[in-house]
Amino acid sequence: MTKRMFVFDAHLDLAIEGNRDLTRPLEEIRQREMHMKDKRDRGRGTVCLPELRKGGIGLVVATQLARYTPPGSSLAGWNSPQQAWAMTQAQLAWYREMEAIGEMVQITNLDELDAHIGLWENDNVADEKKPVGYILSLEGADSLVDISYLYKAYDYGLRAIGLSHFGPGRYAPGTKMEGSITPAGKELLKEMGKLNLILDVTHLTDEGFDQAIDLYSGPVWASHQNVRKIVPTQRQLNDEQIKKLIERKAVIGGMLDCWAMDIRFIDAISDPWQMNVRLENLVDHWDHICQLAGNSQHVAIGSDLDGIFGTEQSPWDMNSIADLQKYQDILARRGYKQEDIENIFHKNWLRFLRNAWS
Ligand SMILES: [Zn+2]
């Protein structure tokens, strides 16, 4: 049997999904939701803390997320930035609770990172005793009421920001929109640079992407985004964008939402098994980026597996996030060398962080 390899997953929304006790076994979480019909992923979740440990996913980028919705918009969201901020603080409180009971540990700098990796490499400590490390990221910056809130957030450990999510956005328009980063967004980028925060370009418009790359000189990554050549929607990265990211030594996290893997897949209609969407589909996206880069140093995992979908919208050969381990065999079969596989599982993200934080 292949030895389990350490996994760094750069995109999970652990604090957001509706009323799940992620400390419990996956079967129990699913069982408790069997009667619920409010969301399509009820009873079908693939992420919880025991599964993360089982899959060797010892470090994640975990989000805070709360959108502001302007009057007239039909998008779900909060009616004021203050309400959105309050929601992100509730999410932070949940992470703190997980820390208090030893389930998770926040990683904010190089020393904490090295100590955490050391713990996970230590075979004398049982995996159940190892907390899942998390780097805090804000997905869509709407909740930062003004610039002073950026500094508050930095103080509680926020280390990465994506300016936008879906829809209009106070700092930048997001997925399914067009247009430029707002004046407030440009100001925010300036301040983020002073704090050396990581800029997450995922969910920016094409115009916003170009502006962000030009305006921001700090570290840049795309936490959860696939290849537009394979899935031709604005949500994915085109070749020009990929080349710019490679130039900036960025890493791109491949995501496992079926519609981001296979263009035929229609959200809420298609079935992963009928469409034969498998874990291996993501390797096509990785291959494309590796070909453009000439190496395997810019691709990694940003699964998004708890982004309000479950098995109904994930590769059919995956039951839980622990199945990320299957990529060892899948990649080997596709001709990736051990070193390439290690790059994808954790080395690329770790190299990125060590550069960004040193
Ligand atoms: Zn997202």
Side-chain angles (χ1 to χ4, degrees):
M1 213 186 91
T2 325
K3 190 178 182 288
R4 207 194 56 194
M5 189 184 281
F6 186 78
V7 178
F8 185 137
D9 184 342
H11 195 80
L12 287 174
D13 298 311
L14 295 174
I16 290 155
E17 186 66 14
N19 197 9
R20 282 179 178 161
D21 180 359
L22 296 183
T23 66
R24 304 303 304 164
L26 194 59
E27 298 71 28
E28 187 183 312
I29 295 171
R30 287 177 176 174
Q31 196 70 45
R32 260 183 108 164
E33 296 180 356
M34 279 313 193
H35 65 287
M36 297 170 78
K37 297 199 162 33
D38 59 328
K39 294 174 181 169
R40 282 187 303 115
D41 65 329
R42 287 300 186 192
R44 294 166 170 162
T46 59
V47 178
C48 65
L49 290 159
E51 290 299 314
L52 286 171
R53 282 197 194 88
K54 199 166 108 188
I57 304 144
L59 186 53
V60 304
V61 177
T63 60
Q64 296 174 294
L65 195 170
R67 188 187 295 124
Y68 162 69
T69 309
S73 169
S74 59
L75 211 61
W78 298 98
N79 288 353
S80 70
Q82 288 80 6
Q83 286 167 280
W85 170 260
M87 279 317 297
T88 62
Q89 299 315 291
Q91 291 156 4
L92 175 66
W94 180 80
Y95 289 117
R96 295 292 190 238
E97 287 300 310
M98 292 303 102
E99 291 185 63
I101 57 174
E103 288 276 355
M104 296 181 74
V105 61
Q106 191 179 31
I107 307 296
T108 63
N109 59 43
L110 216 49
D111 288 345
E112 289 167 357
L113 179 69
D114 288 336
H116 185 67
I117 299 299
L119 175 67
W120 272 83
E121 279 171 353
N122 186 347
D123 292 334
N124 297 322
V125 181
D127 282 356
E128 302 79 62
K129 296 225 159 69
K130 293 172 181 169
V132 172
Y134 74 101
I135 295 161
L136 195 62
S137 177
L138 182 62
E139 186 170 19
D142 286 358
S143 59
L144 299 176
V145 176
D146 61 40
I147 292 295
S148 72
Y149 287 72
L150 173 70
Y151 286 84
K152 285 189 208 185
Y154 185 83
D155 285 343
Y156 64 62
L158 186 73
R159 290 295 178 268
I161 295 182
L163 296 184
S164 57
H165 190 224
F166 281 78
R170 297 177 58 229
Y171 294 95
T175 297
K176 295 189 177 171
M177 303 285 294
E178 281 179 23
S180 160
I181 293 173
T182 67
K186 291 176 184 168
E187 187 60 32
L188 181 60
L189 284 177
K190 223 180 264 172
E191 299 293 328
M192 280 170 62
K194 292 181 194 163
L195 294 167
N196 193 39
L197 281 168
I198 296 156
L199 171 67
D200 188 350
V201 296
T202 294
H203 287 299
L204 283 172
T205 61
D206 286 351
E207 196 178 329
F209 178 97
D210 289 341
Q211 290 175 316
I213 292 287
D214 288 344
L215 292 170
Y216 198 65
S217 55
V220 174
W221 70 25
S223 64
H224 57 303
Q225 204 157 7
N226 292 348
V227 167
R228 198 179 297 184
K229 198 143 216 175
I230 301 171
V231 177
T233 66
Q234 177 259 324
R235 173 68 179 78
Q236 316 307 336
L237 293 163
N238 66 36
D239 285 5
E240 207 179 305
Q241 292 170 331
I242 293 167
K243 283 178 196 157
K244 283 185 184 173
L245 288 172
I246 292 167
E247 244 168 65
R248 290 289 289 267
K249 296 189 162 60
V251 178
I252 301 162
M255 60 184 281
L256 287 166
D257 201 329
C258 280
W259 57 254
M261 301 171 75
D262 187 330
I263 186 62
R264 299 170 307 152
F265 195 92
I266 301 166
D267 198 3
I269 294 172
S270 301
D271 175 86
W273 186 79
Q274 281 183 325
M275 291 269 168
N276 195 22
V277 181
R278 293 167 297 146
L279 286 164
E280 186 171 350
N281 289 47
L282 186 58
V283 180
D284 300 337
H285 295 260
W286 283 334
D287 268 350
H288 185 78
I289 297 169
C290 290
Q291 294 304 327
L292 289 176
N295 59 53
S296 65
Q297 292 180 11
H298 300 275
V299 288
I301 297 163
S303 77
D304 201 17
L305 278 171
D306 54 3
I308 324 187
F309 65 95
T311 52
E312 80 289 355
Q313 209 168 298
S314 315
W316 67 259
D317 53 348
M318 192 202 87
N319 177 50
S320 93
I321 191 163
D323 290 324
L324 288 177
Q325 286 296 329
K326 291 183 177 175
Y327 276 118
Q328 285 197 69
D329 291 340
I330 295 170
L331 286 165
R333 222 184 319 116
R334 291 281 293 255
Y336 284 69
K337 298 198 175 71
Q338 181 70 9
E339 189 193 333
D340 302 318
I341 299 172
E342 288 172 6
N343 278 343
I344 291 174
F345 269 59
H346 56 265
K347 281 192 172 162
N348 287 340
W349 288 128
L350 291 179
R351 187 187 322 109
F352 178 98
L353 283 174
R354 290 193 169 118
N355 280 338
W357 286 353
S358 63

